[in-house]
Amino acid sequence: MAGGGHVLQTVVEIAGSISPTLEKTVKSTTEQLNKIDLKSAAVAASVTAGFIGIGKAVIDAGKKIVGFASDYDKAMRSVSAQTGATGEELEALGDVVQQVYADNFGESMDAAADAVAEVSRLLGLEDDALVQASENAIALSDAFEFDISESTRAASALMKNFGVSAEEAYNIIAYGAQNGANQNGDMLDVLNEYAAQYSALGLSADQFVQGLVKAGDEGVFSMDKVGDAVKEFNIRSKDLSTTSAEAYALLGMDADEMFARFAAGGETANEAFFEVLDALNNLDDPLAKNTAAVNLFGTQYEDLGEGILDILASMEGSTLDNVDAMEQLNEVQYGDLQSQLEGIGRQLEVAFLPLGSTLLDAISGLMPAVTEAVGALEPMISGLTESLTPLITDVFGRLGPMLTELMQPLMRIADVLFEKILPPLIEIGMSVMPVVVAVVDALAVALEPIFDVVGVFLPIIADVVSLIAKQLTPALQMLSRLLKPLGNLFSGAFALLEPIGTVIGFITDVLGTLTDFLSGIFLHTWDTVWNLVSGNFEMSWTGIVEFFKGVANGFIDIAEGAVNGIINAINALTGGLSAIWTWTGLPAIPEIPLVEWPRLAAGGFTN
């Protein structure tokens, strides 16, 4: 293929820069697009379509690469907006974002970029320190649902007031969260708000968090109360007030000396703080102890009680030198196979990011020519729209009358259904219901004496059976022979009830026949009238014939049903009587056969 060698020589450098050959090709293509006409473009598109099928896999891969580059570009625009960084500074932040994402931190590129922007803005870190701090902030968010802004502000407070590194600050936060310091959900606020107060007393960040852990172990209801108690002590320990001086006097200490030691801060204040706690714990007089503690810790001592002294005393000598909570947290949280595989995938995405950025820049360079080409299509699209508009208007204009004509017979059918057919059916149903209710009531009245009799005899029979069961076997056999005819008697008695059921069935059959008869008359009448109106005289004559035939056959059905109903009732009665005496050997009463009368023939030829 012509030019194939030149295409193979086009090289995109992994560093992200566009090669001179590709750059020249892009510029040349842009110039050609500016001159191309639509017919030539159509021919070129038809030729290119064949190669698209061949290179579908390559195109799909290119889409993913370019799509990831587009996501990264969008994320970095957000970073620039949040931090105000541009140029080389923004490029350096981009390197951090890529590293954080490739290390598998953050749900997406956007999440990683937002974390880097927030940590950079609050802590002012760069390069590797910014990478580690951003990853720690994301890890704390994943493990404890800490807001990245809140955990970063707490880390910032620890760094500024205690001089610890970002790594140490996040390690302290992780240790506190893992060991109960956040059981009330206010640990981050306490670290942020009271770090300066602890630092002023010469306490370390390790001692600060260890005191909160101890408070959690002791079940303190609010970590803020602990921090506020230290804040009150920091203020009163060096305020030269009379109440503070009285507290030192109760502890056997020189007030002026203690004021000076706490004002000095650092290690001097640290030693003085724990001396005061020891003196309070060793004070035997409970009244003097409470007075001195309230004078130094304020009302927080009243809220927390004497236990706050042991909690604060436990901070002495505390250190986290051998604790790496963040490393342990990351190993547990991201050490599974799925996370590792996802990390590999992210590393590949970042490796192809320079290529994607190059392709994205190249596509962006073609956009002006594409925009102009699309603009050239606008007159054609407008002309096509103008041509189609009358056609669409005409089609819908013709459909309107057709739908109107179709709706008229549908409306007539609906009128017949809801106004002519349903009301008679409902009226018939309403007229039948009283009859059914009356029959049921009569049946209940008729059966009530039988149930009463049975109810009286059943206990007596049960007693007799119980008494006889205790007798010898011959007596039981005799009872069996006596009960057999008695069972036939009851069987026959219940059989006598069958005529009642037969009567109910007869009434139901008659009503059903009458309903079918009336419905048939109505439908034949409607069909005949409809055929006459529509001019179908042949069908009208057929309808008239069917009408009179239906009337005749209907009367026959009613009469036949009435006679057969009476016959069924008689047969049921005689059958019940026969059941009573057949065990004696007497013959059963024969049943009367049902009648079946002839109807009008359906028509046709006969022999």
Side-chain angles (χ1 to χ4, degrees):
M1 182 179 69
H6 294 292
V7 174
L8 293 176
Q9 292 173 2
T10 302
V11 178
V12 178
E13 314 220 352
I14 297 301
S17 61
I18 185 169
S19 70
T21 305
L22 181 57
E23 182 177 9
K24 181 178 179 181
T25 303
V26 171
K27 291 182 179 179
S28 175
T29 303
T30 303
E31 293 174 359
Q32 293 301 322
L33 282 174
N34 290 332
K35 300 176 182 179
I36 200 167
D37 62 290
L38 294 176
K39 292 182 179 180
S40 300
V43 175
S46 64
V47 175
T48 305
F51 296 100
I52 290 178
I54 299 174
K56 186 177 184 301
V58 177
I59 291 174
D60 289 341
K63 286 181 180 178
K64 292 181 179 179
I65 293 173
V66 173
F68 181 73
S70 178
D71 292 341
Y72 173 73
D73 180 69
K74 180 180 178 182
M76 291 311 301
R77 292 179 184 273
S78 176
V79 171
S80 179
Q82 294 180 57
T83 62
T86 58
E88 294 181 358
E89 184 182 2
L90 182 61
E91 185 178 350
L93 288 175
D95 293 339
V96 173
V97 171
Q98 293 179 38
Q99 185 63 52
V100 171
Y101 180 81
D103 289 343
N104 203 23
F105 286 89
E107 295 181 356
S108 63
M109 179 64 77
D110 285 339
D114 288 341
V116 171
E118 188 70 5
V119 173
S120 174
R121 186 176 62 83
L122 293 176
L123 301 185
L125 302 176
E126 297 178 354
D127 303 329
D128 292 342
L130 180 56
V131 171
Q132 187 173 33
S134 300
E135 292 178 353
N136 287 338
I138 294 173
L140 289 175
S141 177
D142 292 342
F144 306 108
E145 298 184 357
F146 287 160
D147 182 79
I148 290 179
S149 296
E150 293 181 4
S151 64
T152 304
R153 281 196 292 269
S156 176
L158 295 176
M159 294 167 64
K160 292 177 180 177
N161 290 284
F162 299 103
V164 298
S165 65
E167 181 181 359
E168 292 171 330
Y170 282 111
N171 189 62
I172 289 171
I173 295 173
Y175 174 80
Q178 289 177 333
N179 291 277
N182 192 48
Q183 65 179 9
N184 300 322
D186 56 357
M187 182 189 73
L188 294 180
D189 291 335
V190 172
L191 293 176
N192 186 36
E193 182 176 355
Y194 298 108
Q197 306 298 331
Y198 279 77
S199 177
L201 291 172
L203 299 172
S204 67
D206 293 353
Q207 290 174 327
F208 187 3
V209 73
Q210 190 61 57
L212 299 181
V213 170
K214 178 65 174 178
D217 292 339
E218 297 297 327
V220 173
F221 65 93
S222 172
M223 296 299 168
D224 185 76
K225 288 288 185 180
V226 177
D228 205 11
V230 174
K231 174 185 175 181
E232 286 296 322
F233 184 91
N234 179 48
I235 295 172
R236 296 172 184 235
S237 64
K238 52 195 173 190
D239 64 354
L240 304 179
S241 65
T242 302
T243 54
S244 298
E246 291 176 352
Y248 289 134
L250 290 172
L251 297 176
M253 297 178 173
D254 182 85
D256 293 334
E257 179 185 351
M258 298 306 295
F259 286 145
R261 292 178 66 185
F262 281 112
E267 187 62 30
T268 302
N270 184 294
E271 293 176 356
F273 178 71
F274 290 108
E275 288 178 8
V276 171
L277 292 175
D278 289 340
L280 283 170
N281 278 324
N282 294 326
L283 194 59
D284 294 330
D285 186 352
L287 181 60
K289 182 177 183 178
N290 184 75
T291 301
V294 171
N295 286 350
L296 292 175
F297 289 99
T299 57
Q300 306 306 324
Y301 180 82
E302 298 175 348
D303 295 336
L304 295 172
E306 188 175 342
I308 186 62
L309 299 178
D310 292 332
I311 290 173
L312 297 178
S314 69
M315 297 188 298
E316 187 174 12
S318 298
T319 178
L320 301 180
D321 290 342
N322 298 320
V323 176
D324 195 345
M326 283 306 311
E327 182 178 358
Q328 183 269 341
L329 177 65
N330 289 331
E331 288 179 356
V332 172
Q333 189 163 232
Y334 306 114
D336 60 287
L337 179 60
Q338 182 178 354
S339 297
Q340 293 176 17
L341 292 176
E342 184 177 353
I344 294 173
R346 288 191 174 192
Q347 291 174 9
L348 291 175
E349 286 178 327
V350 172
F352 279 104
L353 183 57
L355 176 60
S357 299
T358 300
L359 293 174
L360 187 63
D361 292 341
I363 294 172
S364 299
L366 295 176
M367 285 300 103
V370 174
T371 301
E372 185 175 349
V374 172
L377 291 175
E378 290 182 0
M380 180 185 298
I381 297 174
S382 299
L384 180 62
T385 303
E386 292 176 0
S387 300
L388 289 177
T389 299
L391 177 61
I392 295 174
T393 302
D394 182 64
V395 169
F396 280 93
R398 294 177 183 274
L399 286 176
M402 293 174 61
L403 292 175
T404 302
E405 293 180 4
L406 180 62
M407 289 301 297
Q408 291 178 356
L410 292 177
M411 293 301 296
R412 287 199 298 271
I413 293 173
D415 291 340
V416 171
L417 178 63
F418 290 103
E419 296 182 10
K420 305 296 184 182
I421 298 178
L422 289 181
L425 293 179
I426 295 175
E427 186 175 353
I428 291 173
M430 295 300 295
S431 63
V432 170
M433 287 303 299
V435 178
V436 175
V437 173
V439 171
V440 174
D441 291 341
L443 180 62
V445 173
L447 294 178
E448 184 175 359
I450 297 176
F451 288 139
D452 291 342
V453 172
V454 173
V456 171
F457 280 101
L458 281 178
I460 299 174
I461 294 172
D463 293 339
V464 172
V465 172
S466 177
L467 178 63
I468 295 176
K470 298 179 181 179
Q471 305 303 317
L472 299 176
T473 302
L476 294 175
Q477 295 175 347
M478 183 181 297
L479 179 62
S480 175
R481 288 193 297 270
L482 292 175
L483 288 178
K484 184 175 181 180
L486 183 61
N488 292 334
L489 176 63
F490 276 106
S491 176
F494 281 112
L496 292 176
L497 298 177
E498 187 175 348
I500 298 176
T502 304
V503 171
I504 295 175
F506 163 67
I507 295 173
T508 303
D509 292 339
V510 171
L511 291 176
T513 303
L514 181 60
T515 301
D516 295 339
F517 172 63
L518 294 177
S519 299
I521 292 175
F522 174 77
L523 292 176
H524 282 307
T525 303
W526 172 255
D527 290 340
T528 302
V529 174
W530 180 266
N531 289 326
L532 285 173
V533 173
S534 60
N536 193 346
F537 299 106
E538 182 178 355
M539 293 300 298
S540 300
W541 174 251
T542 302
I544 294 172
V545 172
E546 293 294 331
F547 168 74
F548 286 106
K549 184 178 71 174
V551 171
N553 290 336
F555 282 119
I556 294 174
D557 290 338
I558 294 174
E560 182 183 282
V563 173
N564 286 335
I566 296 173
I567 292 174
N568 285 330
I570 294 173
N571 287 337
L573 179 63
T574 57
L577 294 174
S578 297
I580 295 176
W581 64 63
T582 51
W583 66 276
T584 62
L586 295 176
I589 302 175
E591 291 187 349
I592 303 174
L594 300 177
V595 301
E596 184 176 359
W597 295 333
R599 272 70 167 173
L600 292 180
F605 295 96
T606 61
N607 294 327

